Amino acid sequence: MVRFSIGLGVLPLCAMPFGAVAQAEPLFQCTFANGKTVVLETDETGVVYRFGRPGQTPELTLHRLYDQIDVTPWPGVGRSIWEDLSLHNGRVTYRLWGALDRMSEDHELSAGLIVEQGDEELARLECLPGSLNYAVFSFLDAYEAAGYCWNYEDFIWQEACE
């Protein structure tokens, strides 16, 4: 996984309730057992991450440029087809992940959020199955649409695609 510069700003203009502004279809959205929701949307410059209770002002809103996020694509092996996307806020990382169990009969989809500070896991939240709005490879597709490509030999993202 390649690391880029870390943007530290919190987007203060997004202090309105979830759904208050008509926006494009979220790249990732789900609700957790604690009643809170996470939403990840893209725009021309990057991604917007919002976390909090539906209908209320988000507890945390981050906007990160594409070169400030980490996307880890599925390596092509294993029971699950998975990917994750990480956003940084100072020393804290918010990692959204999604996985499809390709060996099960129903190809179950699962996803969640892991909050980390350095090597310490601060929180792990699993998406409630009926609340998940996510398609496998959507993180990869969004990153490629932004002009990046995965170098399979060096296992890094690069801006210059051949």
Side-chain angles (χ1 to χ4, degrees), residues 4-5 27 41-48 63-71 85-86 139 141-148:
F4 295 103
S5 63
L27 187 63
E41 295 173 319
T42 60
D43 64 22
E44 310 80 50
T45 62
V47 298
V48 178
H63 180 269
R64 295 294 180 262
L65 303 176
Y66 285 107
D67 67 353
Q68 296 173 329
I69 62 175
D70 299 323
V71 175
L85 182 145
S86 297
F139 299 160
D141 292 345
Y143 213 57
E144 286 179 342
Y148 294 87

Side-chain angles (χ1 to χ4, degrees), residues 109-130:
L109 188 61
S110 59
L113 169 65
I114 301 170
V115 182
E116 302 166 317
Q117 186 169 3
D119 292 334
E120 181 184 356
E121 187 175 291
L122 303 177
R124 178 180 293 263
L125 302 170
E126 300 277 331
C127 296
L128 295 174

Side-chain angles (χ1 to χ4, degrees), residues 53-150:
R53 296 203 180 278
Q56 298 181 8
T57 300
E59 294 173 25
L60 179 64
T61 300
L62 303 171
H63 180 269
R64 295 294 180 262
L65 303 176
Y66 285 107
D67 67 353
Q68 296 173 329
I69 62 175
D70 299 323
V71 175
T72 305
W74 178 53
V77 295
R79 178 182 182 103
S80 294
I81 297 172
W82 61 269
E83 64 180 340
D84 68 33
L85 182 145
S86 297
L87 302 103
H88 309 283
N89 189 29
R91 294 184 53 228
V92 177
T93 299
Y94 300 89
R95 183 163 40 115
L96 297 168
W97 61 270
L100 173 83
D101 185 343
R102 65 187 183 135
M103 303 301 280
S104 69
E105 191 172 308
D106 294 331
H107 301 298
E108 292 91 9
L109 188 61
S110 59
L113 169 65
I114 301 170
V115 182
E116 302 166 317
Q117 186 169 3
D119 292 334
E120 181 184 356
E121 187 175 291
L122 303 177
R124 178 180 293 263
L125 302 170
E126 300 277 331
C127 296
L128 295 174
S131 74
L132 183 58
N133 180 2
Y134 164 75
V136 178
F137 300 126
S138 61
F139 299 160
L140 172 76
D141 292 345
Y143 213 57
E144 286 179 342
Y148 294 87
C149 59
W150 183 250

